[in-house]
Amino acid sequence: MDKLRDLIEKYKAEVKDENPFLIEEVESFRIKYLGTKGLVKTIMGEMKNVAAENKKEAGQLLNEFKMFVEEKFATFDYIGTTNENKNTTNLDLTLPGTPTPIGTRHPISIVKNKIVGIFNKLGFSVAEGPEIEDDFHNFSALNLPENHPARDMQDTFYIAQNPDWLLRTHTSSVQTREMQKGKLPLRIICPGRVFRNETISARAHCFFNQVEGLYIAENVSFADLKQTLYYFVTEMFGKNVKVRFRPSYFPFTEPSAEMDISCLLCNGKGCNVCKKTGWVEILGCGMVHPKVLENCGIDSNKYTGFAFGMGIERITMLSYQIKDLRLFSENDVRFLRQFESAL
Ligand code: DAH
């Protein structure tokens, strides 16, 4: 054991002094110490001469030595030259680098940017909020008090450490935050990712993207809402697409509506996508409920507003005739590359 210890100390000192610079010198170091016939392997062979009761200790020493050499090797910074003179190198800095492949924009981003661009032209500016929300901003403020049955419409992911925290189920939570800031009039568009505890299938996912719109000022009417959305549809899908509003229910708006557009795939004749009705639903909307305004500190006698919310995936699927929601999150480049020309 003493012999072994001395030997390792001696070699350690030797390794410490090594200072290779050229690529060949680094390679010589590797062969000398770490190669198949190198020193590390050779002294590992000493194990067979160690008495059984010392094997454990010897093994540790040898392993330490091996790591010592490997760590030293990892510190070498060489520039890969064959020049004998260490002050100059043959390195040709004008050689082109290895190309880094450039990705393409994701279809969801392309469509999100287009939606945001359309509303920008109407004076809406972008607002964003956190993906981890508290109950107040995602639910209570939006007129969904605890035990309200409408909470079940959105299967929520709660955060285990704090029952008040959750992954936002809709971008309506951003409305709440912006209204609380108290700067009026308010005209915002809020794109973002939302989460629901749904089984993943061609039509549902546990995360997806929404865009929320909100306009609050004096004398905002349902006519303003319709006009805004008509403009959006024409810009997004073209002049020939028809629009209809159906009465609906959302706790945060009164009255509430859902908006359908004529099916882009069959031109309203009826197909699988529109379930033979000729219409597809693209968003929910309505006049902001006075209670919601009050919950966020806005005088509902003075101000009125409209809001709407749409799923970006749905709009993208209609725009590009994509039939399976899962494609958006699989990151298959063969799928993603098809949208290069849409940039
Ligand atoms: N938050 C609703 C959802 O996720 C969408 C929505 C409906 C948003 C109506 C609104 C609205 O602002 O007015 O299903």
Side-chain angles (χ1 to χ4, degrees):
M1 279 306 292
D2 284 344
K3 247 171 87 185
L4 186 65
R5 235 176 255 122
D6 287 349
L7 203 60
I8 288 180
E9 279 316 305
K10 188 181 129 226
Y11 288 146
K12 262 193 175 171
E14 197 179 298
V15 170
K16 235 186 212 153
D17 282 346
E18 293 272 6
N19 195 15
F21 176 75
L22 301 176
I23 190 164
E24 298 91 334
E25 293 169 353
V26 174
E27 180 60 4
S28 303
F29 177 97
R30 191 191 64 77
I31 295 168
K32 182 171 168 195
Y33 294 103
L34 295 165
T36 36
K37 292 185 184 141
L39 191 86
V40 170
K41 278 261 159 63
T42 314
I43 69 163
M44 287 283 185
E46 292 291 321
M47 275 297 277
K48 63 177 182 300
N49 302 324
V50 175
E53 70 268 26
N54 292 329
K55 283 226 190 286
K56 194 173 160 206
E57 194 191 343
Q60 263 172 7
L61 276 173
L62 288 168
N63 261 333
E64 258 172 48
F65 178 63
K66 184 174 171 220
M67 268 155 61
F68 175 81
V69 179
E70 283 171 350
E71 274 164 25
K72 172 86 180 179
F73 183 66
T75 64
F76 297 149
D77 186 14
Y78 57 90
I79 52 178
T81 171
T82 55
N83 200 312
E84 299 278 277
N85 179 348
K86 297 188 181 185
N87 296 319
T88 61
T89 78
N90 284 341
L91 205 59
D92 182 356
L93 296 174
T94 66
L95 284 174
T98 318
T100 309
I102 297 172
T104 61
R105 204 159 285 168
H106 196 282
I108 294 293
S109 300
I110 295 172
V111 171
K112 177 182 81 182
N113 292 347
K114 189 168 173 191
I115 298 172
V116 167
I118 295 169
F119 285 104
N120 278 164
K121 284 199 265 181
L122 291 175
F124 286 75
S125 49
V126 172
E128 287 180 329
E131 290 182 350
I132 297 176
E133 258 304 357
D134 53 45
D135 185 279
F136 177 77
H137 292 94
N138 194 81
F139 287 130
S140 307
L142 293 165
N143 203 24
L144 276 146
E146 219 176 311
N147 303 323
H148 192 291
R151 283 193 182 200
D152 297 340
M153 284 174 12
Q154 306 180 347
D155 288 315
T156 310
F157 285 116
Y158 285 92
I159 309 252
Q161 287 88 335
N162 185 336
D164 195 44
W165 290 348
L166 46 90
L167 297 182
R168 67 179 175 197
T169 60
H170 53 185
T171 42
S172 305
S173 58
V174 186
Q175 280 191 24
T176 319
R177 291 187 173 271
E178 290 298 312
M179 285 193 272
Q180 279 182 319
K181 290 183 184 164
K183 271 202 197 130
L184 296 166
L186 186 57
R187 191 153 39 177
I188 50 164
I189 188 92
C190 323
R193 199 157 48 154
V194 301
F195 307 84
R196 291 184 199 176
N197 191 1
E198 303 233 16
T199 310
I200 296 170
S201 72
R203 301 172 146 269
H205 209 292
C206 57
F207 71 82
F208 52 98
N209 292 269
Q210 288 189 330
V211 173
E212 187 84 11
L214 177 71
Y215 177 36
I216 298 177
E218 289 178 46
N219 302 317
V220 176
S221 70
F222 203 93
D224 297 321
L225 170 62
K226 285 177 85 172
Q227 208 51 46
T228 304
L229 293 176
Y230 284 147
Y231 175 79
F232 165 70
V233 170
T234 313
E235 290 284 303
M236 189 76 211
F237 300 108
K239 283 196 188 69
N240 297 328
V241 174
K242 293 199 207 72
V243 176
R244 75 175 185 190
F245 286 83
R246 278 177 296 105
S248 184
Y249 170 75
F250 298 101
F252 28 90
T253 43
E254 181 57 37
S256 303
E258 278 170 305
M259 191 178 86
D260 301 338
I261 59 170
S262 52
C263 181
L264 299 169
L265 299 167
C266 63
N267 275 324
K269 286 186 198 76
C271 66
N272 284 342
V273 171
C274 60
K275 297 190 200 108
K276 310 263 187 285
T277 63
W279 295 96
V280 281
E281 181 220 313
I282 63 161
L283 57 82
C285 60
M287 300 305 293
V288 180
H289 198 294
K291 265 200 198 155
V292 173
L293 294 174
E294 297 294 339
N295 287 346
C296 300
I298 295 175
D299 181 354
S300 62
N301 292 317
K302 186 165 176 209
Y303 291 101
T304 51
F306 66 68
F308 55 87
M310 65 184 108
I312 303 181
E313 277 78 357
R314 168 71 68 91
I315 309 267
T316 311
M317 288 168 103
L318 289 171
S319 301
Y320 296 116
Q321 314 203 351
I322 298 165
K323 299 222 168 67
D324 193 325
L325 200 59
R326 289 169 291 199
L327 286 164
F328 293 126
S329 50
E330 279 166 356
N331 272 343
D332 184 332
V333 288
R334 291 168 304 179
F335 169 72
L336 297 174
R337 282 213 185 105
Q338 293 177 52
F339 303 91
E340 271 167 1
S341 59
L343 286 180

